[in-house]
Amino acid sequence: MPRTRKIIIDTDPGQDDAVAILTALASDTLDVLGITAVAGNVPLALTERNSRMICELAGRADIRVFAGCDRPLRRQLVTAEEVHGRTGLDGPDLPPPGMPLQSQHAVDFIIDTIRGEAEGEVTICALGPLTNLAAAIERDRTILSRIREIVLMGGAYFEAGNVTPAAEFNIYVDPHAAAIVFACGAPVTVMPLDVTHKALTSPERIEAFRSIGNPVGDAVAKLTAFFERFDVEKYGIGGAPLHDPCVIAYLLQPELFSGRSVNVEIETSSELTMGMTVADWWRVTDRKPNAMFMNDIDDTGYFSLLTRKLALF
Ligand code: RIB
Ligand code: CA
């Protein structure tokens, strides 16, 4: 049995976040120490509620869920109900949560957990705006040398933005938080739109989820079918990019992905390009590489991995 990898999932569910969380909870090589909710796709009161509903769908009411920051560090919150629906988890009809929300603030949980675990043990899986993680770094920079890796979904370089022409949603919502994370010095691995736009749902792939024949597969088919309609209309393509599970898939099967270690800076001044991830892909500056910026995926292998994992429930 390979050694389990200890992770904290920071998230703004979100249908694609839900698939990522379910995939992690299905994997016996991942030890989910806790789930920290952040405001993003929908307000915090819904992202923390959705996080608990997803855990209970997985039969994991034992997982500790924490509420974190309800707004970005400096900017007003921007949400995405047009993509995810009013609840953020539209699609299946899931029961309201019965499990409790933890009373500790998510930022304190992140700090305490990283300090409490052995050095280099904890991986942060960031699936939404980086507000919680940036707040933890700002409050206690000693955690930086103790983090094994930060794996985040966010940004775009060869792909245009999905919330402005220049910016991807997670980075755009809190560009100041993103700037802190990309400059923090801990190992950062990025799953940008350059990767996720190559990981598209399709009727066959959604049917494969439904054909699993368990409640999780049925819910995931409904989640992805709901999530897909917005991008199909917006981009005129056959399916929707299944963004966030790329973060978990990378931990489970890194060979599905390829990219390059480059410098990434975040635009935090110009409103025109606010939240842009300026990746020095061709190393035309002397800026030090600070991120493994992924730009390709074996999408067939990716969906096969997700389907295999979700069938384990
Ligand atoms: O741009 C895609 C990202 O924004 C995903 O994490 C999605 O869940 C939303 O948070
Ligand atoms: Ca998300």
Side-chain angles (χ1 to χ4, degrees), residues 155-156 160-169 171-172 193 272-277:
N162 61 0
V163 65
T164 74
E168 177 278 330
F169 179 81
I171 308 299
Y172 177 76
L193 299 182
L272 178 64
T273 53
M274 182 62 68
M276 181 175 181
T277 46

Side-chain angles (χ1 to χ4, degrees), residues 42 49 52 58 66 75 85 92 135 149 161 164 210 220-221 227 239 247 258 262 292 309:
V42 287
R49 184 178 188 273
R52 291 186 285 150
F66 302 81
R75 291 170 65 85
E149 186 174 14
T164 74
R210 195 187 331 278
V220 165
F227 176 72
V247 169
S258 60
V262 296
M292 172 54 79
K309 288 296 182 183

Side-chain angles (χ1 to χ4, degrees), residues 256-303:
L256 291 173
F257 302 91
S258 60
R260 184 181 292 185
S261 176
V262 296
N263 176 270
V264 179
E265 302 288 334
I266 310 297
E267 175 64 73
T268 56
S269 302
S270 157
E271 279 303 331
L272 178 64
T273 53
M274 182 62 68
M276 181 175 181
T277 46
V278 182
D280 184 5
W281 190 260
W282 301 113
R283 301 206 178 120
V284 295
T285 75
D286 59 0
R287 294 196 291 254
K288 185 166 160 284
N290 60 348
M292 172 54 79
F293 200 84
M294 296 297 183
N295 80 326
D296 208 357
I297 181 174
D298 166 2
D299 61 320
T300 302
Y302 172 63
F303 278 92

Side-chain angles (χ1 to χ4, degrees), residues 12 16-17 41 84 127-128 153 162 168-170 193 243-244:
D12 65 334
D16 59 322
D17 302 68
N41 285 320
H84 298 275
L127 312 180
M153 190 278 138
N162 61 0
E168 177 278 330
F169 179 81
N170 288 340
L193 299 182
H243 306 285
D244 291 339

